[in-house]
Amino acid sequence: MEKEERMLLVEQNFKSVQEEADNLRDLVTKLRVKYKAALEEIQDLEKEHETQREDLFDTIRTQEKELKLLNKINEIMLTPQEFYKIKSKSTFNEDKMEWKVPMFIVKNK
């Protein structure tokens, strides 16, 4: 009788260990799926970040090019003193992000 009880107890332990192993296997599978999803999300974010970064660099390059043109036109049309005089009388509206420049007349250089 004692031997049979021990065998039942060992069988029950085996079943519970097997159940625990099955549960852990399921948990590992679920965690792998979440891990892969997180990795894909990170890769997507990195690609998006790189695209935004390139767009910003393109915008900066375009604005630098335009600024150089406008500076060249300014050099041709105004003396440095005239430019600073106009600039000192101009104001920048932070809300609208634009300059308010008073009317002026360009004299021949």
Side-chain angles (χ1 to χ4, degrees):
M1 188 83 161
E2 221 175 272
K3 231 179 187 183
E4 287 177 21
E5 288 177 7
R6 285 185 191 169
M7 289 299 285
L8 284 173
L9 187 60
V10 167
E11 193 176 309
Q12 285 176 344
N13 282 341
F14 177 74
K15 284 181 183 176
S16 67
V17 168
Q18 187 63 40
E19 287 174 2
E20 184 178 356
D22 290 342
N23 288 341
L24 289 174
R25 191 175 298 110
D26 290 344
L27 178 62
V28 167
T29 302
K30 289 177 185 176
L31 289 175
R32 276 189 184 140
V33 169
K34 286 185 177 183
Y35 175 73
K36 286 180 182 180
L39 282 179
E40 289 175 6
E41 178 70 19
I42 289 170
Q43 290 172 345
D44 288 346
L45 290 172
E46 286 174 343
K47 286 178 186 176
E48 184 180 332
H49 178 260
E50 186 61 30
T51 300
Q52 289 175 345
R53 185 173 172 224
E54 286 301 317
D55 288 346
L56 287 172
F57 280 132
D58 287 344
T59 300
I60 290 170
R61 283 186 210 100
T62 301
Q63 288 181 346
E64 284 178 341
K65 189 176 175 181
E66 188 172 326
L67 180 61
K68 286 180 180 186
L69 173 64
L70 294 174
N71 281 336
K72 199 59 156 174
I73 292 170
N74 180 41
E75 286 175 18
I76 292 169
M77 296 188 71
L78 299 172
T79 65
Q81 294 81 10
E82 291 171 327
F83 172 77
Y84 289 113
K85 186 176 180 182
I86 293 168
K87 184 178 177 184
S88 67
K89 293 181 180 184
S90 300
T91 55
F92 187 74
N93 185 326
E94 294 288 339
D95 295 330
K96 293 181 180 179
M97 295 298 292
E98 65 184 21
W99 282 97
K100 181 177 180 184
V101 179
M103 295 299 291
F104 62 93
I105 297 173
V106 177
K107 297 177 183 174
N108 292 336
K109 254 184 152 177

